[in-house]
């Protein structure tokens, strides 16, 4: 009925630094030598980080030919097809624009998606979600000093609840062989409270409430230890789709609170 989380904008990968795996990478216009075999070649364009970039009508001139200016995008390699003939001088002819899709992924080839955990940092995740856990205080009824045999109810404030931390990180693009290209990865770290463990002034402990003191204790304390189970679930974006990452258990965190609570033996005090 309500949403208490934080919306995270989807970001695509950074500009490609080279064509995808198995795409030839040529940084110069083809050259025709006097003695040669005619050939065709594709020259791939450098990248732009704008996901929706398209040719805007600009041209450059090569050997008297108007050649459109194109750039590769994070999800598609773009370039130019050239036909080179022999002779002195030979002829270099622009024949069209070439395009091949990229397949960015932070998962190395051969790694199953369930085993792919880019940007996973258990220690850092624990530290980040620990900052979201509030300090706890204890209140008791009856208030101290207590009396032997009288049930004592204890409450912890604020009541332990699920807390979250959002971790934004980057991972190299390993899917198309361009580790210089970075992919946006988001982890949502969840700290879920488990049973609260209590220790009482008389040395007993447990998870049951209320506590009924049986002996007098002049300098005792009630202590509570809340254990949080921390898990992380994530996703990454290739600029078009959002891909989930398998959940993983990160570890546990504990939060402690204590309250001085002397216990009196009323009958003995009365003589």
């Amino acid at each position: 009925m309500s949403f208490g989380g934080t919306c995270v904008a989807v970001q695509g990968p950074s500009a490609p630094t080279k064509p995808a795996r198995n795409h030839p990478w040529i940084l110069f216009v083809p050259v025709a030598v006097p003695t040669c075999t005619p050939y065709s070649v594709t020259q791939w364009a450098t990248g732009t980080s704008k996901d929706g970039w398209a040719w805007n009508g600009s041209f450059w001139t090569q050997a008297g030919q108007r050649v459109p200016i194109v750039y590769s995008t994070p999800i598609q390699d773009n370039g130019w097809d050239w036909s080179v003939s022999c002779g002195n001088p030979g002829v270099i002819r622009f024949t069209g624009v070439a395009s091949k899709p990229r397949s960015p992924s932070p998962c190395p080839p051969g790694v199953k998606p369930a085993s792919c955990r880019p940007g996973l940092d258990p220690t850092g995740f624990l530290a980040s979600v620990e900052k979201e856990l509030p300090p706890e205080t204890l209140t008791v009824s009856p208030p101290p000093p207590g009396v032997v045999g009288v049930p004592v109810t204890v409450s912890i404030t604020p009541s332990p609840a699920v807390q979250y931390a959002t971790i934004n990180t980057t991972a190299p693009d390993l899917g198309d062989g361009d580790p210089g290209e970075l992919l946006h990865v988001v982890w949502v770290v969840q700290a879920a409270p488990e049973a609260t463990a209590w220790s009482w002034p008389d040395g007993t402990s447990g998870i049951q409430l209320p506590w009924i003191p049986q002996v007098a204790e002049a300098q005792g304390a009630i202590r509570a230890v809340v254990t949080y189970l921390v898990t992380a679930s994530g996703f990454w974006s290739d600029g078009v789709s959002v891909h989930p990452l398998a959940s993983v258990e990160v570890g546990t965190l504990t939060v402690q609170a204590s309250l001085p609570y002397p216990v009196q033996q009323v009958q003995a005090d009365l003589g």
Side-chain angles (χ1 to χ4, degrees), residues 61 71 100 108 141 198 224 252 255:
T61 301
Y71 289 92
K100 284 189 177 181
S141 180
W198 300 93
T252 58
V255 175

Side-chain angles (χ1 to χ4, degrees), residues 15-45:
T17 59
K18 65 179 181 180
R21 184 181 298 274
N22 299 324
H23 294 198
W25 185 222
I26 301 175
L27 294 174
F28 52 86
V29 176
V31 176
V33 296
T35 302
C36 72
T37 300
Y39 67 96
S40 297
V41 68
T42 299
Q43 179 188 18
W44 297 101

Side-chain angles (χ1 to χ4, degrees), residues 223-239:
R223 293 184 174 86
V225 178
V226 184
T227 301
Y228 287 81
L229 176 63
V230 182
T231 57
S233 300
F235 61 87
W236 64 275
S237 167
D238 60 13

Side-chain angles (χ1 to χ4, degrees), residues 89-156:
V91 177
I92 303 170
R93 186 166 59 92
F94 167 68
T95 60
V97 173
S99 297
K100 284 189 177 181
R102 300 174 68 88
S103 299
S105 173
C107 305
V111 175
K112 296 180 180 179
S115 302
C116 180
R117 295 170 179 170
L120 179 67
D121 178 10
T123 301
F125 287 5
L126 289 173
S128 294
V129 76
E130 187 175 20
K131 296 177 182 178
E132 304 298 329
L133 299 178
E136 304 286 1
T137 59
L138 300 179
T139 56
V140 296
S141 180
V147 178
V148 169
V150 176
V152 178
T153 58
V154 186
S155 60
I156 188 168

